Amino acid sequence: MADAQSSPRNSDARRSRAIVTSHHHGSMQMWVLMYVFSYSVNPAATNDRAEWRLLPNVVFQEFTSEERCRTAKATLEGSLKEAGAKLKSGFEDLKSIGKADPAQIIIAYNVECLPK
């Protein structure tokens, strides 16, 4: 009977771990910026009820370093906050003349830097 250490299955498993380990350490680790953006308009603000559903858009972008990914993340988050402030201001202006309400729209986003 063959020894458990020398069985082909265990040998293949050790070889796979060695390849994965050497590949991970032998190459530069990549980082992925994941950006999810969703919005929805309240059915009271539109005749199209399908628009009320949150429909996410997902974008991935690869970076060669965590620092570059985090810089891109900070820039993107700043742009989203600025756009949100402009949108809110616009809705407040419309609300003041009785044409819209900020409660009629939902906007959600998430930005993450993740190791690949």
Side-chain angles (χ1 to χ4, degrees):
M1 182 174 252
D3 181 348
Q5 292 293 331
S6 64
S7 75
R9 185 181 311 179
N10 287 341
S11 176
D12 288 344
R14 280 194 309 274
R15 192 174 321 119
S16 295
R17 278 193 302 271
I19 290 169
V20 168
T21 302
S22 66
H23 177 69
H24 177 70
H25 293 299
S27 63
M28 182 181 292
Q29 182 173 12
M30 296 293 289
W31 286 79
V32 177
L33 178 73
M34 181 186 73
Y35 160 48
V36 181
F37 177 81
S38 300
Y39 76 95
S40 184
V41 176
N42 185 328
T46 178
N47 291 330
D48 186 3
R49 292 173 86 45
E51 287 190 43
W52 184 238
R53 294 184 211 125
L54 285 173
L55 302 171
N57 294 294
V58 182
V59 177
F60 296 96
Q61 184 173 354
E62 290 185 344
F63 290 89
T64 55
S65 73
E66 181 178 10
E67 180 182 349
R68 291 184 73 195
C69 187
R70 297 219 182 272
T71 299
K73 176 184 178 193
T75 301
L76 182 56
E77 286 175 327
S79 295
L80 290 169
K81 286 178 186 176
E82 183 179 326
K86 287 179 181 178
L87 184 63
K88 182 177 179 182
S89 173
F91 267 107
E92 291 296 338
D93 290 346
L94 290 171
K95 184 178 180 180
S96 70
I97 59 172
K99 296 292 184 185
D101 185 343
Q104 294 175 327
I105 190 166
I106 295 172
I107 297 174
Y109 67 87
N110 187 31
V111 183
E112 294 292 335
C113 275
L114 305 167
K116 183 174 177 184

